[in-house]
Amino acid sequence: MMKSIKFFALFLIGITVISCTKSTLVEDTIPTGGTFIKFKQSNMSYTLNNPIITDLSNTKIDAFQGSDASLVSITLYMPLDATIGTHFMTDDPSDDNTYGAYYIQGNNVDMLANAGIITITSITENAIEGTFSFSGVNGSAIVEVTNGSFIAVR
């Protein structure tokens, strides 16, 4: 009888530990759908796969495809201690405590976001997930990047 009680107690402890495990987007593996940065710009949809996260003085999530005239590149940046929630973007990437974006499209667009939002929906030790939209000035034209989403792993 005592063995049955001990076994049952260990079973309950095991169930409790398993049920208290953090439920996140990514624990130790790449998500089923892979990693990406998706967005729209000028009615064109882009999916840039396998973004790279660098954590130095701030966190940067970079992705690109193509080269020269066909290059599409986007960088999202945020503080090292970024938090879940919606954050306003600024056009000052030298300030490590700001959120922002940088966008390049071939030889036509090269700009910093000067207005926008980034919403962090999940942060784990291994991954960051969220959405974004922003605009900036390229020469005399306003460029809008909309319907953005991302999942990136460290």
Side-chain angles (χ1 to χ4, degrees):
M1 177 79 169
M2 190 63 147
K3 285 185 180 181
S4 294
I5 293 173
K6 285 182 184 177
F7 177 77
F8 184 70
L10 287 174
F11 177 76
L12 285 178
I13 291 170
I15 293 294
T16 302
V17 169
I18 289 171
S19 66
C20 291
T21 304
K22 195 166 45 171
S23 174
T24 61
L25 167 72
V26 175
E27 284 296 332
D28 294 321
T29 60
I30 294 175
T32 306
T35 59
F36 59 83
I37 298 179
K38 296 178 182 180
F39 59 94
K40 287 187 176 183
Q41 197 276 312
S42 294
N43 295 321
M44 292 288 299
S45 295
Y46 296 94
T47 299
L48 309 180
N49 292 311
N50 305 315
I52 299 168
I53 295 179
T54 53
D55 293 321
L56 298 173
S57 58
N58 63 2
T59 298
K60 290 182 181 160
I61 302 172
D62 296 303
F64 70 93
Q65 68 183 23
S67 63
D68 300 325
S70 66
L71 176 67
V72 175
S73 173
I74 194 163
T75 301
L76 304 173
Y77 59 89
M78 60 198 71
L80 286 173
D81 60 350
T83 58
I84 291 175
T86 299
H87 310 278
F88 293 102
M89 291 186 178
T90 70
D91 60 356
D92 187 5
S94 64
D95 182 347
D96 295 335
N97 295 310
T98 62
Y99 294 79
Y102 185 68
Y103 179 65
I104 299 172
Q105 183 182 24
N107 300 321
N108 300 319
V109 178
D110 188 342
M111 62 159 216
L112 276 171
N114 63 9
I117 58 168
I118 184 167
T119 300
I120 308 295
T121 56
S122 177
I123 298 177
T124 69
E125 183 177 320
N126 301 316
I128 303 174
E129 177 183 22
T131 61
F132 63 91
S133 63
F134 62 87
S135 63
V137 178
N138 183 63
S140 61
I142 295 175
V143 176
E144 293 183 346
V145 174
T146 61
N147 299 340
S149 63
F150 63 93
I151 297 176
V153 295
R154 297 179 203 276

